[in-house]
Amino acid sequence: MAPRTACFLVIGNEILSGRTQDANIRVLAHALNGRGIRLMEVRVIPDIADHIIATVNDCRARFDLLFTSGGIGPTHDDITAACVAEAFNVPLTRHEDSFRQLEALFPAGEFNRARQRMAWLPEGATPIKNSVSTAPGFSLGNVHVMAGVPRIFHAMIDWLAPQLEAGAPLTSASWYSHDVYEGDLADRLTAIQQDFPTLDIGSYPFEHGTERGVALVAKGYDADTVIQAGSALKDLLQTLDFTPKEGDPPRSP
Amino acid sequence: MAPRTACFLVIGNEILSGRTQDANIRVLAHALNGRGIRLMEVRVIPDIADHIIATVNDCRARFDLLFTSGGIGPTHDDITAACVAEAFNVPLTRHEDSFRQLEALFPAGEFNRARQRMAWLPEGATPIKNSVSTAPGFSLGNVHVMAGVPRIFHAMIDWLAPQLEAGAPLTSASWYSHDVYEGDLADRLTAIQQDFPTLDIGSYPFEHGTERGVALVAKGYDADTVIQAGSALKDLLQTLDFTPKEGDPPRSP
């Protein structure tokens, strides 16, 4: 089983302007980790059609899976479906099941033209269901289009993730300690990386209020090797007279 | 005065794995807004040299300014300075001022090889100072390399932002209301966008706990036009029997 790769395209002027704090990257990363799919790149881009179309085509070719968020509501700046259709060179067509479901939801007279627009998907797309809203997510080829509002994004990925073809599961082992500085362990950490060339050995300084320290992480596709490397990381912290703790530092920033 | 554009490259396996929540995009966006510089794209990429070099070269050509965060510490996975040097096709050289400042900071014997590595910058780079750490940020051409730890990133951008050439200031006006749905105002919002073709008119649904609603935003480079459009957005909400409030919704997600 080979590792699978993913890219996440966040379509949203509101993230780029600083108006909104991203809350979806972490949710997607954790859902993909659980399926053996590795998030390799995130791009945040504005609601500009040419920019969206070019980026969708670049990223869907370079990664096994592409996820997008944002731009699927009923207003004039919701252009994601039209851009994905153009990227795939297919027309937007009315999705009859989605149309009927939306129609049934609104009182007479309120299923207006703007709301009907949400039933128009690129030809060949299949809807991504979610338990909390009528937002029209969809999958087309290896591209999965989701809502930007975190509660809806979360519900969509909960529904979608179990259906994604799984990749090779990545195992990780991590140890952290307060008060240690990276400069005190850098050379010995390099030696551990050399001892385990098939793994990624990483070092992540953290700060949380007045607490600070370093987390050391080993990752790879062979669980036994990862456990051995984790044990070497633990020993490194102990040799330096720090008290290693297993896992992530509390509320790492 | 023309608008200036920027791209932000977040170099960090820890964001992509979901271990760490990004806290820097918003800080950078706000600092740049204050200088009339528009953040047009963010990319989060892993600590892989080829990926970093290609992305630095792509993005420094496409935008007026490129900011990076992460990968400037003393460990083997801190490869940002070497990658930027390779992207610019210049050698890494020891920056003598930085070397002496670092040397003075550590007790005898603790200024080891790993820490000395932090004084090696791409030839021609100038250090980005910060008030809280010895992390070796630097500027080279239109590329500004900063730390990933939020407290240090923040201190670096505080020092750097006032020195960046300013662009045309963007004005924005925003109104929001609880309980309104985008589908109720989409057609009239389109009409406002058509009345103000030089502006960006955006609609952003928000949710915070049980509160929900929509924020309407007008943005542009002519302040009078933005104020007129803002007033049209306010009228739209009032016509629909909602009570518009000025500014951002409380703690938008």
Side-chain angles (χ1 to χ4, degrees):
Chain A
M1 195 186 271
R4 305 193 79 210
T5 61
C7 177
F8 181 26
L9 188 55
V10 179
I11 299 166
N13 290 341
E14 68 276 27
I15 307 280
L16 293 169
S17 71
R19 161 182 295 275
T20 301
Q21 166 69 46
D22 161 71
N24 292 337
I25 296 174
R26 232 178 152 176
V27 166
L28 180 65
H30 286 148
L32 296 181
N33 291 344
R35 298 293 296 164
I37 299 166
R38 203 159 179 183
L39 183 61
M40 293 296 288
E41 183 161 327
V42 178
R43 295 199 195 177
V44 189
I45 63 171
D47 310 334
I48 297 173
D50 289 349
H51 204 144
I52 298 172
I53 296 164
T55 309
V56 165
N57 275 332
D58 181 21
C59 296
R60 75 184 171 106
R62 284 176 50 217
F63 301 96
D64 295 327
L65 296 159
L66 174 62
F67 299 86
T68 78
S69 70
I72 63 167
T75 63
H76 69 279
D77 55 345
D78 289 308
I79 57 176
T80 303
C83 291
V84 170
E86 193 157 331
F88 278 81
N89 202 22
V90 298
L92 278 181
T93 56
R94 204 170 87 172
H95 191 273
E96 295 306 324
D97 276 1
S98 302
F99 188 87
R100 277 188 297 270
Q101 282 167 29
L102 283 163
E103 194 174 27
L105 239 132
F106 290 99
E110 292 192 16
F111 189 46
N112 55 26
R113 199 180 52 167
R115 288 183 167 127
Q116 290 177 26
R117 204 170 151 251
M118 295 199 293
W120 287 72
L121 304 182
E123 193 173 82
T126 54
I128 294 177
K129 300 195 195 314
N130 81 87
S131 54
V132 300
S133 84
T134 60
F138 63 86
S139 299
L140 180 62
N142 65 340
V143 180
H144 303 279
V145 172
M146 297 185 286
V149 173
R151 192 172 57 98
I152 306 175
F153 181 88
H154 207 137
M156 285 182 169
I157 194 69
D158 277 353
W159 182 85
L160 182 63
Q163 305 180 48
L164 300 171
E165 186 191 332
L170 193 70
T171 303
S172 75
S174 53
W175 292 90
Y176 70 94
S177 177
H178 287 85
D179 301 321
V180 61
Y181 289 86
E182 283 190 309
D184 292 319
L185 51 74
D187 280 350
R188 286 200 252 183
L189 197 67
T190 304
I192 294 174
Q193 175 69 79
Q194 285 160 352
D195 288 345
F196 297 95
T198 62
L199 306 185
D200 282 342
I201 307 290
S203 149
Y204 304 102
F206 66 86
E207 293 191 343
H208 172 235
T210 58
E211 293 181 40
R212 52 163 310 291
V214 172
L216 303 178
V217 182
K219 282 191 181 173
Y221 295 100
D222 181 71
D224 288 343
T225 315
V226 171
I227 290 164
Q228 282 174 42
S231 163
L233 296 176
K234 183 185 176 194
D235 290 349
L236 167 57
L237 290 169
Q238 275 176 330
T239 313
L240 293 168
D241 278 338
F242 294 101
T243 308
K245 296 175 192 164
E246 195 164 9
D248 282 348
R251 289 183 50 198
S252 61
Chain B
M1 194 187 271
R4 305 194 79 210
T5 62
C7 178
F8 181 26
L9 189 56
V10 179
I11 299 166
N13 289 342
E14 69 276 27
I15 307 281
L16 292 170
S17 71
R19 161 182 296 274
T20 301
Q21 167 68 47
D22 160 72
N24 293 337
I25 296 174
R26 235 180 149 175
V27 166
L28 180 64
H30 287 148
L32 295 181
N33 290 343
R35 298 293 295 163
I37 298 166
R38 203 161 179 180
L39 183 60
M40 293 295 289
E41 184 161 326
V42 178
R43 295 199 196 179
V44 189
I45 63 171
D47 310 335
I48 297 173
D50 290 347
H51 203 144
I52 298 173
I53 296 164
T55 309
V56 165
N57 276 333
D58 181 21
C59 295
R60 75 185 171 104
R62 285 175 51 216
F63 301 96
D64 294 328
L65 297 159
L66 174 63
F67 299 86
T68 79
S69 71
I72 63 167
T75 62
H76 69 280
D77 54 348
D78 289 307
I79 57 175
T80 303
C83 290
V84 170
E86 193 157 332
F88 278 82
N89 202 21
V90 298
L92 277 180
T93 56
R94 204 170 88 172
H95 191 273
E96 294 306 326
D97 275 1
S98 302
F99 188 87
R100 277 189 297 271
Q101 281 166 29
L102 283 163
E103 193 173 29
L105 241 133
F106 291 98
E110 292 192 16
F111 188 49
N112 56 26
R113 199 180 51 167
R115 287 181 167 128
Q116 291 178 27
R117 205 170 150 251
M118 295 199 292
W120 288 72
L121 304 182
E123 193 174 83
T126 54
I128 294 176
K129 300 196 196 311
N130 80 87
S131 53
V132 300
S133 84
T134 59
F138 63 86
S139 300
L140 179 61
N142 64 340
V143 180
H144 303 280
V145 172
M146 297 186 286
V149 173
R151 192 172 58 97
I152 307 175
F153 181 87
H154 207 138
M156 286 183 169
I157 193 69
D158 277 353
W159 182 85
L160 182 63
Q163 305 179 46
L164 300 172
E165 185 192 333
L170 192 70
T171 304
S172 74
S174 51
W175 292 91
Y176 69 94
S177 177
H178 288 85
D179 301 321
V180 62
Y181 289 86
E182 284 190 308
D184 293 319
L185 50 73
D187 280 350
R188 286 200 253 184
L189 197 67
T190 305
I192 294 174
Q193 176 69 79
Q194 285 161 352
D195 288 343
F196 297 95
T198 62
L199 307 185
D200 283 341
I201 308 290
S203 149
Y204 304 102
F206 66 85
E207 293 190 342
H208 172 235
T210 57
E211 294 180 39
R212 53 164 308 291
V214 172
L216 303 179
V217 183
K219 281 191 180 172
Y221 294 100
D222 181 69
D224 288 342
T225 315
V226 171
I227 289 165
Q228 282 173 42
S231 162
L233 296 176
K234 184 186 176 194
D235 290 348
L236 166 58
L237 290 169
Q238 275 176 330
T239 312
L240 292 169
D241 278 339
F242 295 102
T243 308
K245 297 177 191 163
E246 196 165 8
D248 282 348
R251 289 181 53 196
S252 61

